[in-house]
Amino acid sequence: MSEWRDLRREASFRGVPFWVDSDSVPVGRRTQLHEYPKRDQPMVEDMGRQTREYKFEGFIVGSDFIAQRDNLLKALDTPGPGELIHPWFGRLSVTAGKCEISHSRNELGMVRFNLSFIDGMLTFPVQRVNTRRQLVAHVP
């Protein structure tokens, strides 16, 4: 068996498996281009790594597809980060983004979807006690 077949994993989110038709993720750097009059060269400002948004077109199929669909809906509706098993990138901690699920009369026993997962999660600043300042204030 070839190496890429050995590396591929079965996709799932929060333990709910699904089949993947295709996937995509933007990569690279975020940049801001600055162009100036009477200059031949622009200035390119590096704004950091591109946010990785993992997008899937996939499906769930089988005699229990309704139950599996409901499990996936529950997993997608749960707030906060969850574990995504990506077929090519492995285990990732992501937050579910905008997703769409569809049914078709021509595809009985199957549900299709477009899923979007954002790498990383929002963390709010946390206020911490400045113990150094408290110590200085209590020393005579």
Side-chain angles (χ1 to χ4, degrees), residues 30-47:
R30 291 179 295 129
T31 57
Q32 179 64 49
L33 177 65
H34 301 280
E35 294 181 300
Y36 301 99
K38 301 191 187 281
R39 289 211 175 156
D40 292 337
Q41 293 292 323
M43 183 186 91
V44 179
E45 183 179 2
D46 188 332
M47 306 284 286

Side-chain angles (χ1 to χ4, degrees), residues 82-102:
E83 183 180 65
L84 170 69
I85 306 295
H86 193 286
W88 305 108
F89 295 112
R91 294 179 187 276
L92 303 167
S93 179
V94 297
T95 302
K98 187 175 181 180
C99 302
E100 185 176 306
I101 289 184
S102 63

Side-chain angles (χ1 to χ4, degrees), residues 2 6 16 19 40 42 46 57-59 79 82 88-89 99-100 110 122 133:
S2 64
D6 295 336
V16 181
W19 295 96
D40 292 337
D46 188 332
E57 289 183 21
F59 60 95
W88 305 108
F89 295 112
C99 302
E100 185 176 306
M110 180 172 169
L122 179 62
R133 182 173 285 169

Side-chain angles (χ1 to χ4, degrees), residues 42-86:
M43 183 186 91
V44 179
E45 183 179 2
D46 188 332
M47 306 284 286
R49 190 187 88 165
Q50 175 83 16
T51 299
R52 295 205 172 152
E53 183 177 0
Y54 301 94
K55 295 181 180 181
F56 294 95
E57 289 183 21
F59 60 95
I60 295 174
V61 65
S63 59
D64 66 338
F65 86 99
I66 295 288
Q68 290 299 315
R69 179 207 59 192
D70 292 345
N71 291 339
L72 183 60
L73 285 171
K74 184 178 176 184
L76 293 170
D77 288 340
T78 302
E83 183 180 65
L84 170 69
I85 306 295
H86 193 286

Side-chain angles (χ1 to χ4, degrees), residues 78-137:
T78 302
E83 183 180 65
L84 170 69
I85 306 295
H86 193 286
W88 305 108
F89 295 112
R91 294 179 187 276
L92 303 167
S93 179
V94 297
T95 302
K98 187 175 181 180
C99 302
E100 185 176 306
I101 289 184
S102 63
H103 303 86
S104 174
R105 181 178 54 87
N106 298 331
E107 297 177 331
L108 299 176
M110 180 172 169
V111 59
R112 290 193 174 272
F113 50 78
N114 293 316
L115 301 178
S116 173
F117 301 100
I118 297 107
D119 189 15
M121 59 202 108
L122 179 62
T123 56
F124 293 100
V126 177
Q127 184 177 2
R128 298 214 167 120
V129 176
N130 187 338
T131 55
R132 183 178 190 186
R133 182 173 285 169
Q134 285 181 338
L135 181 61
V136 170

